[in-house]
Amino acid sequence: DDNKVSITSVGGISSVVDAMRQYPLEVEVQHYGCWALTNLAVNDDNKVSIASMGGISSVVEAMHRHPQDSKVQNWGTSALRILADNSNNN
């Protein structure tokens, strides 16, 4: 959990979300972006940060743009499931 907080404190979440926005057609960027957000979202404070930085919409957009890519769909669904489990995001 300490690494997740450290990554967030140096701008890791915003870097991931920015990369996903900048390269929406690059399936690997979207796949690993969803993967990273899933792992960072295990921390409750990070869930709020991901939501406030537009991470939820980035995940949904990735899933819409790459419906046939199982990795994007798997990690996108995982990210949304974990992020949904926090009433502070609403």
Side-chain angles (χ1 to χ4, degrees):
D1 224 26
D2 288 343
N3 286 341
K4 291 171 181 63
V5 173
S6 295
I7 290 167
T8 300
S9 71
V10 297
I13 291 172
S14 62
S15 294
V16 170
V17 172
D18 289 347
M20 291 177 75
R21 287 181 180 155
Q22 188 170 2
Y23 301 102
L25 301 179
E26 297 293 330
V27 71
E28 294 236 349
V29 172
Q30 302 305 309
H31 157 223
Y32 284 113
C34 289
W35 174 83
L37 293 177
T38 297
N39 285 288
L40 290 168
V42 173
N43 175 284
D44 283 339
D45 291 334
N46 286 353
K47 289 178 185 181
V48 176
S49 296
I50 290 167
S52 69
M53 292 180 197
I56 293 171
S57 60
S58 293
V59 169
V60 171
E61 182 64 27
M63 293 175 73
H64 283 289
R65 283 193 188 270
H66 305 284
Q68 300 303 316
D69 189 90
S70 63
K71 291 178 183 176
V72 171
Q73 297 302 311
N74 179 50
W75 287 110
T77 302
S78 294
L80 294 176
R81 179 183 51 79
I82 292 170
L83 288 163
D85 188 29
N86 184 354
S87 61
N88 293 329
N89 287 338
N90 299 330

